[in-house]
Amino acid sequence: MDPTLTLIIDSAKVLVLLTAAAALAYTLRGRPARIRAVVWGTALAGALLIPAVAPLLPAWSLPLPVALAEVGAAVDPQPHPAVHVTSLSTFPGKIAVANDTLGTTMISRFADVSWRQWLLTGWLVGVAIALGRFGNGLWRMFRAVTRARPVTDPRRLAALAGARHRVGCRREVRLLVTDEIDIPATVGVGRPVVVVPRQAATWTDERWDAVLLHEAIHVVRLDWPVRMVARIARAVYWFNPLAWWAVSRLDLEQELACDEEVLALGNRVSHYACHLLGIARGAVRTPALAVSGLEMARRSQLEERIMTMLKRPHHRKTKLMVLLPAAVLVGAMVPALAAVHPGDSAPRQASPELEQIITEMEETEARLEPHLEIVERFEAEIEPQLEMIERVEVEIDHQAMAEIEEKMRPHLERIQEIELDMEPMLAQIEEFAGQLENVRIHVEDGTLAEVQQQIEEQIEAHMAKIEEIHIDMEPLHEQLEAIHEQLEPLHEQLEAIHIDMEPMHAEIERMHREMEPIHERIEEMHLEMEPIHEELGRLGDRLEDALRGEVATVLREHLGAVTGPNAPFTEAAARILEDASVRVNDGTVWVRASRSEARRILTDLLGPLRVGDQSVFDEAVEGAATAVSPLVIQAD
């Protein structure tokens, strides 16, 4: 498909998605802000996913409006009529200008570039500018974070720990102070950071608690990565005013959702609103960080946030289950819109051979269906045990074990270092021991004194060297002993955890034994289904061969008149089908191939056999590539 047409269609899909999100958000205007934030976040993320997942989904073909169809089929406009041009056979596609004046030369140059190319270029330039501004904001924000100083006041760190505990935040959060911002902000994903302005030193303990609670809620809700995804979507669809409005609404709803949860945790509306006003009153706008962070008291949103809090005095935390319908409703539109594909939906009639294959496949699948139903019943029987195993595994304190293992890691690394230091000494001891084994004492004709002298000469020297090595190793042994003493309490803690886990492991083992007969039955069913699967595999091979012939026929219809005899249409069809997706359902076969890849294959393989004008050949290639993706074949 023409890139311009793809851009127009994807933009229309995004417009539909954001319009639906706006309508849903409007109907939910009396509900908690957290739900509306989920709606906007899901819609903006879906705007990025629509073009990404479209190639992975079966196509739902819809006829193109006439205007859009002409976009895909339009040819470049002719040169200005006042300019006489002639084609140069040695430079196909170039033009020579008879009138050599400056004006006619400029006209002829611009005539070579279609309006579609200008449209794509303008879009790419806009995306580059928007992403550049976004990246600049991120860079300035991260630079400010790296320059910030960590807060060391024990009271503030304790307040942060308390806020994390109250909102259920398990991730580590750093608390920094900087002169480069005037409003508290939260940034980061893996290791989130709460940055406060220098003026925070004058805040009261109550304001600190409100700020840290608000920012901890942002961390738990993953608001910063959602906001970053939204800004990328806005950069891609920079020309769409609804995308800009959706991002601003997402920003506001995220702040409103945090406000609601702060108040739900027992803070008074009047006190919390005063804190927001106090922070905003002393703030100076910082556009760079405003792009990339989560600011607590942005002036442009402050009035609506305070009015919302005052209008809704009863604030309750929103449970996750309340959010799911909104997310599912918006998220379900993404694959539905992505699957929409413009084009002629009229299917081709299948050949008798393909009809026979489809019939046999349907009959084989019908024989497979009862076995699959039995397997599903068995899986339903073991579902309670699987859920119980999951609950038991959740109770296992993996976090405590990981913390102990993390404490043990430096000691174990030191032990490994000491053992590496001891390896040369042990090698020397082993070498001396080998030499001792080769010592020969001759006692046949010698006296006891002579034997003793042999021992002293041959053995004592080696023993002395071994003794020296043992003396050198003694400090290392002492270090090892000290490390093992330090590890002993950690080993005891691990042992205690393992003892506590024994009943849980025993319960899991018992449930696995209960499920074992059902697993055996499922395995038996799979063995019974194996011949049917093999038969389906053979039918799949036959289907592939038949589709190769169908696609070759389509290619011949479009390209037979512009290629020479013996054109390798079958080979081209085979190469196109290599990466295509094929789906068979209710007597219909859907073949979806990559248009750009099909166009490249046809151009490379059939280009040398072109007959006639290049532009006619290119148009035929475009038509053939469009015809095979998607290709719908209907059996009687």
Side-chain angles (χ1 to χ4, degrees):
M1 184 186 299
D2 184 88
T4 307
L5 183 58
T6 301
L7 175 61
I8 294 173
I9 292 173
D10 287 344
S11 301
K13 294 177 182 179
V14 170
L15 182 63
V16 172
L17 178 63
L18 295 181
T19 302
L24 181 58
Y26 180 78
T27 61
L28 297 172
R29 62 190 183 279
R31 304 298 301 276
R34 186 179 182 187
I35 302 178
R36 297 190 297 277
V38 168
V39 169
W40 286 118
T42 306
L44 287 164
L48 289 177
L49 288 176
I50 282 177
V53 303
L56 308 177
L57 298 173
W60 177 24
S61 188
L62 291 178
L64 270 178
V66 175
L68 285 181
E70 291 176 352
V71 171
V75 296
D76 290 344
Q78 294 297 321
H80 195 279
V83 182
H84 174 70
V85 297
T86 57
S87 299
L88 298 179
S89 58
T90 54
F91 299 98
K94 302 295 183 181
I95 57 176
V97 184
N99 188 345
D100 198 22
T101 63
L102 177 62
T104 57
T105 303
M106 293 298 293
I107 292 174
S108 65
R109 289 177 181 175
F110 279 101
D112 285 334
V113 182
S114 71
W115 67 269
R116 294 174 296 164
Q117 292 172 311
W118 284 113
L119 181 63
L120 283 175
T121 302
W123 172 70
L124 290 173
V125 170
V127 172
I129 293 174
L131 289 178
R133 294 185 59 188
F134 174 66
N136 181 61
L138 280 178
W139 176 75
R140 296 178 65 180
M141 181 271 297
F142 281 116
R143 185 181 62 176
V145 170
T146 56
R147 293 177 177 179
R149 304 178 301 278
V151 175
T152 58
D153 188 341
R155 292 183 303 163
R156 307 314 175 200
L157 297 177
L160 176 60
R164 290 171 55 202
H165 176 73
R166 292 181 68 186
V167 301
C169 178
R170 298 183 178 180
R171 285 184 292 165
E172 179 184 357
V173 180
R174 292 185 294 160
L175 182 59
L176 306 178
V177 62
T178 181
D179 298 332
E180 299 185 32
I181 67 170
D182 295 297
I183 301 175
T186 298
V187 296
V189 183
R191 294 190 62 193
V193 176
V194 174
V195 188
V196 296
R198 178 172 49 84
Q199 298 89 326
T202 63
W203 291 351
T204 63
D205 292 345
E206 185 179 2
R207 180 166 296 181
W208 269 100
D209 292 339
V211 168
L212 295 178
L213 195 60
H214 181 99
E215 303 304 332
I217 293 171
H218 273 311
V219 173
V220 170
R221 287 169 37 81
L222 299 175
D223 283 341
W224 190 81
V226 172
R227 192 169 290 193
M228 296 303 100
V229 171
R231 276 152 174 74
I232 295 174
R234 183 178 66 185
V236 174
Y237 300 100
W238 57 268
F239 52 86
N240 187 343
L242 191 55
W244 290 78
W245 185 70
V247 171
S248 65
R249 293 307 305 176
L250 172 67
D251 293 351
L252 176 60
E253 299 296 354
Q254 286 181 337
E255 297 302 327
L256 289 173
C258 287
D259 294 342
E260 290 177 351
E261 293 201 36
V262 169
L263 298 176
L265 291 170
N267 292 272
R268 296 181 61 181
V269 174
S270 57
H271 291 177
Y272 184 68
C274 288
H275 293 318
L276 293 179
L277 289 170
I279 294 172
R281 189 179 299 116
V284 177
R285 295 194 64 180
T286 53
L289 293 186
V291 171
S292 304
L294 294 165
E295 310 82 48
M296 179 178 176
R298 191 186 301 178
R299 291 181 177 180
S300 59
Q301 301 174 345
L302 201 56
E303 180 179 357
E304 184 170 351
R305 288 170 62 185
I306 293 177
M307 293 303 298
T308 301
M309 288 187 288
L310 294 176
K311 290 178 181 178
R312 299 185 60 196
H314 301 293
H315 301 273
R316 294 181 298 174
K317 295 185 69 174
T318 308
K319 296 182 179 179
L320 180 62
M321 293 303 297
V322 180
L323 307 176
L324 288 179
V328 171
L329 185 60
V330 178
M333 294 187 64
V334 173
L337 289 171
V340 173
H341 175 77
D344 186 4
S345 59
R348 292 177 60 88
Q349 182 61 40
S351 64
E353 178 188 4
L354 185 57
E355 287 186 359
Q356 179 62 30
I357 294 172
I358 294 174
T359 302
E360 292 182 18
M361 292 185 73
E362 290 177 345
E363 293 173 352
T364 305
E365 289 173 350
R367 289 192 287 114
L368 186 65
E369 188 64 28
H371 298 79
L372 295 175
E373 292 177 355
I374 294 174
V375 171
E376 288 179 0
R377 287 200 299 269
F378 286 150
E379 291 174 346
E381 290 181 19
I382 63 176
E383 185 66 25
Q385 286 91 337
L386 294 175
E387 292 178 355
M388 187 173 296
I389 289 174
E390 185 176 355
R391 288 195 298 269
V392 172
E393 289 180 344
V394 170
E395 295 175 2
I396 297 176
D397 198 349
H398 295 287
Q399 180 66 26
M401 295 176 62
E403 291 175 356
I404 295 173
E405 291 172 353
E406 183 63 23
K407 293 178 182 178
M408 294 173 65
R409 185 173 57 81
H411 299 289
L412 297 176
E413 290 177 354
R414 180 54 186 156
I415 289 175
Q416 187 176 9
E417 293 174 359
I418 294 174
E419 290 176 346
L420 289 175
D421 293 339
M422 292 172 63
E423 280 186 2
M425 302 178 185
L426 294 173
Q428 291 182 16
I429 292 175
E430 186 176 352
E431 180 183 353
F432 291 140
Q435 294 176 2
L436 286 174
E437 292 178 358
N438 296 326
V439 170
R440 295 292 183 269
I441 306 298
H442 303 282
V443 298
E444 291 83 358
D445 301 325
T447 64
L448 182 60
E450 291 173 341
V451 172
Q452 184 175 359
Q453 184 178 357
Q454 291 182 48
I455 294 174
E456 291 176 355
E457 291 176 353
Q458 300 186 45
I459 297 179
E460 287 188 359
H462 294 82
M463 295 301 297
K465 292 180 181 179
I466 292 175
E467 183 64 27
E468 290 176 2
I469 296 173
H470 278 295
I471 292 172
D472 293 340
M473 292 174 59
E474 187 172 344
L476 298 177
H477 282 296
E478 291 176 355
Q479 293 181 38
L480 285 176
E481 185 176 350
I483 294 173
H484 282 295
E485 289 179 358
Q486 295 173 2
L487 285 173
E488 187 173 349
L490 298 176
H491 281 298
E492 292 176 354
Q493 294 178 30
L494 273 180
E495 182 65 24
I497 293 176
H498 282 296
I499 293 174
D500 293 339
M501 289 167 48
E502 284 181 3
M504 301 179 190
H505 284 299
E507 179 67 13
I508 292 175
E509 183 65 26
R510 182 187 64 79
M511 286 183 281
H512 278 297
R513 287 196 300 269
E514 291 180 357
M515 291 189 295
E516 188 172 345
I518 301 178
H519 281 300
E520 292 176 353
R521 295 289 305 279
I522 292 176
E523 183 66 24
E524 292 174 0
M525 294 304 303
H526 281 295
L527 291 175
E528 293 181 11
M529 289 189 292
E530 189 171 337
I532 305 177
H533 283 299
E534 292 176 353
E535 184 176 349
L536 283 174
R538 290 190 293 270
L539 288 170
D541 294 337
R542 290 174 55 194
L543 176 66
E544 184 177 354
D545 292 338
L547 286 178
R548 191 178 299 118
E550 295 280 352
V551 173
T553 300
V554 174
L555 299 180
R556 189 175 292 106
E557 291 172 357
H558 285 81
L559 295 165
V562 295
T563 56
N566 302 320
F569 293 117
T570 302
E571 180 182 351
R575 290 174 58 180
I576 290 172
L577 287 172
E578 282 181 359
D579 298 322
S581 62
V582 178
R583 185 167 62 93
V584 182
N585 187 30
D586 292 335
T588 304
V589 182
W590 285 268
V591 180
R592 185 182 180 90
S594 168
R595 270 190 179 80
S596 59
E597 183 65 14
R599 190 185 306 113
R600 184 191 65 80
I601 292 171
L602 295 174
T603 302
D604 293 346
L605 198 59
L606 303 179
L609 304 175
R610 174 176 61 85
V611 174
D613 188 71
Q614 179 69 42
S615 62
V616 177
F617 176 79
D618 292 340
E619 184 177 353
V621 167
E622 185 65 32
T626 302
V628 298
S629 182
L631 175 62
V632 183
I633 305 173
Q634 180 71 54
D636 289 334

